[in-house]
Amino acid sequence: MALLFLSLPERAAVWKPLFEAAGVEMIVGEATVTDPAAITHLVCWVPPKDLRRYPNLQVVISTGAGVDYMPPMPEGVQLARTLAPGIEEMVRDWVVMATLMLHREMPVYLGQQREGRWQTRPVPLARGTRVGLMGMGRIGRLAAETLRGLGFDVAGWSRSGRAVSGIEVFGADGMDPFLARSEILICLLPLTAETRGLMDASFFAKLPEGAKLVNAGRGAQLDMAALKRALDAGRLASAMLDVTEPEPLPEGHWAWDDPRIVITPHVGASTDAREGALHALDVVRATREGTEIPGLVDQLRKY
Ligand code: NDP
Ligand code: OXD
């Protein structure tokens, strides 16, 4: 069994000693592969075009939590996503920061600062402000609990509507009432055929007037032209985006200069190298022992 590592060199330097200590062969970079038949595991963000070069490949491990950019796997190859726990905490922190920034009108104050203007606005309470969180998975649940701890009135929405202790969760048929109560709407959904383009004009029309939008899911879930129209019409007040389509947005895109929008360059999380390596070792062990692969992705449903 050997693992082919196709990620950043600084991460490889952290992974190497851990793999050596575990007695698992790790090969860094396709150029150093001398025996493609030895490769059983592959770690990457985007895989090489022709995975058939590795006839004994068993599992592709995504270095990120989202796997929407992964192509269909060849017959017999399983797909796993990293379960590095730091990802959830990092994205939770970004989402809490974004929610507070919009709640406390930071886009307005940043604009005023650029103009050298000192002007106060009413200061809102977090307590009772209604936040709606789409995606109640590993990250969404953690973010929801933290926001609730700050006093926000948090509700969630997920495909199944699965219960989460202490938080009202709307299911597939509860989208309209969920949106109607979301003064701050957060997207933490995976990108799938169902969620692509989800946030469009008809979606924004269901939010309360002047709602605020936080997107840390994927850029392709958001119709940017519809966002602009919603901002111009006052339907939405502001937005904070960590993900865009494409990434980065092209030079000159209207959103770069729009004072109602704050953009960060997909930095909600960056997988901790050590945590990623430990998860990959768990995957290798599970494959060896024939037990359930941690982070296994259902490729038919994509999740
Ligand atoms: P999970 O798989 O743990 O949770 C996904 C949640 O979305 C579940 O509640 C799921 O519902 C719900 N959901 C609703 N519709 C769908 C659908 N059509 N297909 C699948 N799930 C659906 O994911 P994570 O919480 O770990 O991550 C969520 C996303 O966050 C990632 O896919 C990625 O896009 C994004 N992300 C962004 C990062 C960043 O840096 N900005 C970093 C990491 C992740 P149910 O529970 O009913 O299945
Ligand atoms: C992601 C990640 O999926 O950074 O966006 O893990």
Side-chain angles (χ1 to χ4, degrees), residues 191-216:
L191 179 61
T192 67
E194 298 87 48
T195 66
R196 184 175 291 277
L198 175 72
M199 292 178 275
D200 61 7
S202 64
F203 177 98
F204 294 139
K206 293 172 187 162
L207 290 168
E209 186 84 21
K212 294 161 180 172
L213 172 71
V214 172
N215 192 14

Side-chain angles (χ1 to χ4, degrees), residues 65-66 81 87 91 135-140 157-160 162 188-190 192 194-195 216-218 242-243 266 268-269 303:
R81 65 186 185 124
I87 292 184
V91 182
M136 290 297 281
R138 292 168 62 85
I139 302 170
W157 180 85
S158 71
R159 189 171 41 177
S160 61
R162 197 173 302 125
L188 271 171
L189 290 171
T192 67
E194 298 87 48
T195 66
R218 285 291 184 261
D242 186 49
V243 285
H266 200 144
Y303 278 85

Side-chain angles (χ1 to χ4, degrees), residues 242-300:
D242 186 49
V243 285
T244 61
E245 181 66 28
E247 289 184 358
L249 285 175
E251 207 183 317
H253 190 284
W254 64 268
W256 281 123
D257 295 323
D258 194 305
R260 301 162 296 188
I261 295 185
V262 178
I263 296 174
T264 55
H266 200 144
V267 288
S270 171
T271 309
D272 176 80
R274 183 180 160 79
E275 290 186 357
L278 295 179
H279 168 259
L281 279 170
D282 285 345
V283 172
V284 172
R285 279 189 209 105
T287 322
R288 200 181 266 159
E289 291 158 14
T291 53
E292 195 184 331
I293 291 176
L296 188 68
V297 173
D298 178 344
Q299 293 181 60
L300 288 179

Side-chain angles (χ1 to χ4, degrees), residues 23-81:
V24 178
E25 189 183 357
M26 174 178 151
I27 297 162
V28 180
E30 284 204 281
T32 47
V33 176
T34 51
D35 178 13
I39 305 299
T40 52
H41 294 73
L42 171 74
V43 169
C44 58
W45 172 256
V46 179
K49 278 213 168 57
D50 193 7
L51 286 174
R52 282 167 309 182
R53 181 180 172 213
Y54 306 106
N56 296 316
L57 186 62
Q58 295 180 34
V59 190
V60 171
I61 306 170
S62 162
T63 53
V67 291
D68 42 281
Y69 45 80
M70 285 280 182
M73 294 292 124
E75 186 75 27
V77 178
Q78 295 186 293
L79 175 62
R81 65 186 185 124

